[in-house]
Amino acid sequence: MSLDLAVPLVAAPMAGGGSTPALAAAVSIAGGLGFLAAGYLEADAMHARITEARELTDRPFGINLFVPGEAADPAAVAAYRAELLPEAAAAGVELPERIAPDRDDWDAKIERLVADPVPVVSFTFGLPSAAEAAALRAAGSLLVGTVTSAPEARAAAALGLDALCVQGPEAGGHRGTHRAADRPGTVPLLRLLAEVRAVTGLPLIAAGGLADGPGIAAALAAGATAAQLGTAYLTADESGAPAAHRAALTDPRFPGTVVTRAFTGRPARGLRNAFIDRHAAGAPAAYPEVHHLTRPLRAAAARRGDLDALHLWAGTGHRLARPGPAADLTARLWAAAVAAR
C-alpha cells in the first residue's frame, strides 16, 4: 500500500456497530490504519461517521462498502421464513412477509465518497464497476478489494485496485466471497496468501484469525504488507460491540466457532449457539434477504439477553481478545509481533 504505516496493523471494518469513529481514530493515531464500516448504513449516516472520525484524528483512515449482489430466490426465502415462524411466535415478533430489494444505498455512497473522498476505500462481497473504481481513484482514494481466493484476486487486480485484503477461513463475521451463493474456501490464511501472491504483485493485507503477535508475524513473513484484525478489537474500549458479545468471546460455555448462513444468508463465522444448531441446515444462500428476515428475532434476543439466539461474530482467535484502549492494544500486538519475528 502507498500509505506509510508506522505499525502495519489494520482494524477490520465491522458492520453492525463494532466499528466506531473512536476505534478507527485510535488505531490510526497509534500508527495503524483504522476503518469505518458503511455496511447497513445510509449514505448520510456513513458521512456522519466520517465527519466524526475526522474530528478525532488527522491521520488516514478507511471506509468499507458492501457491494450489492444479485436478488435471491423468493421461494427459498419463503421456505426459511416458514421454518422460523414458530421461533418468531415464541419470541412474540412478526417476520416480514415481503423484503424489498436492498442495494445498501450503494449509489449514494459512491457519489458521496467521490465528492468528499477518504484516504482508503475497501470493498466486501464483490468489486465496484470499472467506472466507479476510476471515479474513486480520481478523487484520491486508495482502493482495496477483499478476496477469498486466487480467482477473486485476479479479478480485483484486473480492475486496477491498489491492494487486496486476503481473507482466510479463520476470519470472524462474514466471508467476503464475491457472490452470496459461493461456498467459501477452506485454504488456511498463510497458504491462501501464497496462492494469491502467485497471481498478483499487489500489496496484500492478511485477515483471518489473527489475534496475537506470533500470528501477525507469521502473516507478515508469508508475504503480507499488513495484518488486519477484527475480533481482537471487539473488546477494545472504543468498540461498539455490546457488553454481552464482548463477554461471550471468552465465555467457556461456547464450544467454539462455526461458519453459518443462519442469520444473514451469507457464510459468516460466529460463536456456535442454539440458533445456529437449529437453523444452519435450512438457511438459504440469500443475502441480504435473510439478514432482514431474522432481524426481528435478533432484536428480540438482544432485548432479553438471549445469547443462544444472537449472531455473535467471532474469528478463531476469539479467546485471545482482551479489553483496554485500542491504542494500547495496537502497541502491545505490534510489540509482540516484532518479538516473534
Side-chain angles (χ1 to χ4, degrees):
M1 293 175 63
S2 298
L3 283 175
D4 183 18
L5 297 180
V7 177
L9 297 183
V10 178
M14 296 175 284
S19 292
T20 66
L23 177 59
V27 173
S28 290
I29 291 170
L33 180 64
F35 256 95
L36 299 172
Y40 309 130
L41 300 179
E42 294 185 350
D44 286 346
M46 176 193 75
H47 181 69
R49 283 160 174 75
I50 291 171
T51 299
E52 185 176 348
R54 285 171 172 159
E55 292 171 350
L56 295 171
T57 182
D58 58 2
R59 294 286 301 161
F61 61 87
I63 188 84
N64 175 258
L65 304 180
F66 283 174
V67 180
E70 300 175 354
D73 176 10
V77 177
Y80 192 47
R81 181 180 186 276
E83 177 181 324
L84 295 175
L85 283 176
E87 192 133 350
V93 299
E94 294 186 3
L95 303 183
E97 292 187 13
R98 180 183 177 277
I99 299 170
D102 179 8
R103 287 175 49 81
D104 206 39
D105 211 17
W106 170 263
D107 296 326
K109 288 174 182 175
I110 295 293
E111 182 178 349
R112 185 66 66 92
L113 290 171
V114 168
D116 187 13
V118 297
V120 183
V121 179
S122 72
F123 307 95
T124 300
F125 302 157
L127 299 170
S129 69
E132 290 163 342
L136 290 166
R137 189 179 300 106
S141 297
L142 292 176
L143 306 184
V144 180
T146 303
V147 301
T148 65
S149 67
E152 290 180 351
R154 286 193 192 94
L159 190 61
L161 300 191
D162 299 290
L164 303 180
C165 177
V166 181
Q167 187 196 48
E170 305 90 343
H174 285 109
R175 295 298 304 281
T177 53
H178 288 188
R179 295 185 338 117
D182 289 346
R183 178 176 295 181
T186 58
V187 175
L189 174 61
L190 298 186
R191 204 167 88 208
L192 182 60
L193 285 168
E195 291 185 3
V196 171
R197 171 61 62 224
V199 302
T200 178
L202 288 176
L204 306 181
I205 301 169
L210 303 178
D212 62 6
I216 294 166
L220 297 178
T225 300
Q228 179 170 288
L229 294 80
T231 307
Y233 282 112
L234 274 179
T235 51
D237 293 352
E238 298 89 346
S239 163
H245 191 171
R246 297 167 184 249
L249 295 174
T250 54
D251 189 333
R253 73 188 176 99
F254 290 101
T257 63
V258 294
V259 176
T260 182
R261 295 181 185 271
F263 292 108
T264 70
R266 261 191 170 273
R269 183 176 292 280
L271 298 177
R272 179 180 174 184
N273 61 13
F275 188 93
I276 292 174
D277 288 343
R278 287 194 296 270
H279 301 297
Y287 177 90
E289 289 83 355
V290 171
H291 162 75
H292 292 299
L293 184 63
T294 65
R295 178 181 284 172
L297 291 171
R298 291 181 281 126
R303 288 193 295 270
R304 65 178 185 270
D306 183 2
L307 298 184
D308 266 319
L310 277 174
H311 58 304
L312 301 170
W313 301 145
T316 56
H318 63 95
R319 295 202 184 280
L320 296 172
R322 297 291 182 269
D328 291 351
L329 173 61
T330 302
R332 289 199 308 270
L333 286 166
W334 181 233
V338 171
R341 282 179 165 180

